[in-house]
Amino acid sequence: MKEQKPHKAKTKKDGSSSKHMSVRSILGGDILANDFFKRQTTLLILIMILTILYIDNRYSSQQELIQIDQLKKELTDIKYDALTRSSELMEKSRQSRIEEYISTEESPLETATSRPYLIQKD
């Protein structure tokens, strides 16, 4: 039978073990040289791309919601303006207002003294 040698952890150039990760090695970028990260590079790139797309989609939807709120406010303002103009027109087109306007403007028009009559078709 072969005699098995004890398994030693791989050592790096600086003498530190690859299985032991310190904060310094993580912040220094040594973690990216790990075999796990080398094998999963495409997955990590895909995750980063999907994260960027998610952030962009959320930003776009927030901008659309802001624009929808602005358009709703503008629509409300336009409705109130149209209602105001409609009421002003109704007020100016009342018969009493028209008679008052004609009498004050020295117009040759006068209010009719005879009743209107209906023309019937044969």
Side-chain angles (χ1 to χ4, degrees), residues 28-79:
D30 294 337
I31 194 168
L32 298 175
N34 194 346
D35 289 337
F36 172 76
F37 288 106
K38 287 180 183 178
R39 288 190 311 259
Q40 304 300 329
T41 304
T42 56
L43 178 64
L44 293 173
I45 291 172
L46 178 66
I47 289 172
M48 287 191 304
I49 290 171
L50 290 176
T51 303
I52 290 170
L53 289 174
Y54 175 76
I55 291 170
D56 180 61
N57 185 30
R58 182 177 174 108
Y59 178 76
S60 297
S61 65
Q62 284 178 342
Q63 292 300 319
E64 287 177 2
L65 287 174
I66 290 170
Q67 186 178 12
I68 287 171
D69 286 342
Q70 289 174 348
L71 290 174
K72 282 182 181 178
K73 288 178 184 176
E74 187 178 336
L75 179 63
T76 305
D77 291 342
I78 290 172
K79 281 183 180 179

Side-chain angles (χ1 to χ4, degrees), residues 7-117:
H7 185 268
K8 291 184 178 179
K10 294 181 184 179
T11 58
K12 296 184 181 181
K13 291 179 186 177
D14 61 357
S16 63
S17 144
S18 66
K19 292 191 178 200
H20 181 268
M21 288 289 168
S22 66
V23 175
R24 185 175 191 179
S25 67
I26 291 172
L27 293 177
D30 294 337
I31 194 168
L32 298 175
N34 194 346
D35 289 337
F36 172 76
F37 288 106
K38 287 180 183 178
R39 288 190 311 259
Q40 304 300 329
T41 304
T42 56
L43 178 64
L44 293 173
I45 291 172
L46 178 66
I47 289 172
M48 287 191 304
I49 290 171
L50 290 176
T51 303
I52 290 170
L53 289 174
Y54 175 76
I55 291 170
D56 180 61
N57 185 30
R58 182 177 174 108
Y59 178 76
S60 297
S61 65
Q62 284 178 342
Q63 292 300 319
E64 287 177 2
L65 287 174
I66 290 170
Q67 186 178 12
I68 287 171
D69 286 342
Q70 289 174 348
L71 290 174
K72 282 182 181 178
K73 288 178 184 176
E74 187 178 336
L75 179 63
T76 305
D77 291 342
I78 290 172
K79 281 183 180 179
Y80 288 145
D81 189 41
L83 184 61
T84 303
R85 293 188 188 274
S86 175
S87 66
E88 287 174 356
L89 179 63
M90 286 291 273
E91 180 67 26
K92 289 181 179 180
S93 64
R94 288 189 179 172
Q95 185 175 356
S96 61
R97 290 291 182 183
I98 293 173
E99 288 175 357
E100 181 181 307
Y101 177 74
I102 291 173
S103 66
T104 59
E105 293 296 320
E106 299 178 11
S107 173
L109 298 176
E110 295 178 0
T111 306
T113 54
S114 62
R115 296 178 58 190
Y117 56 93

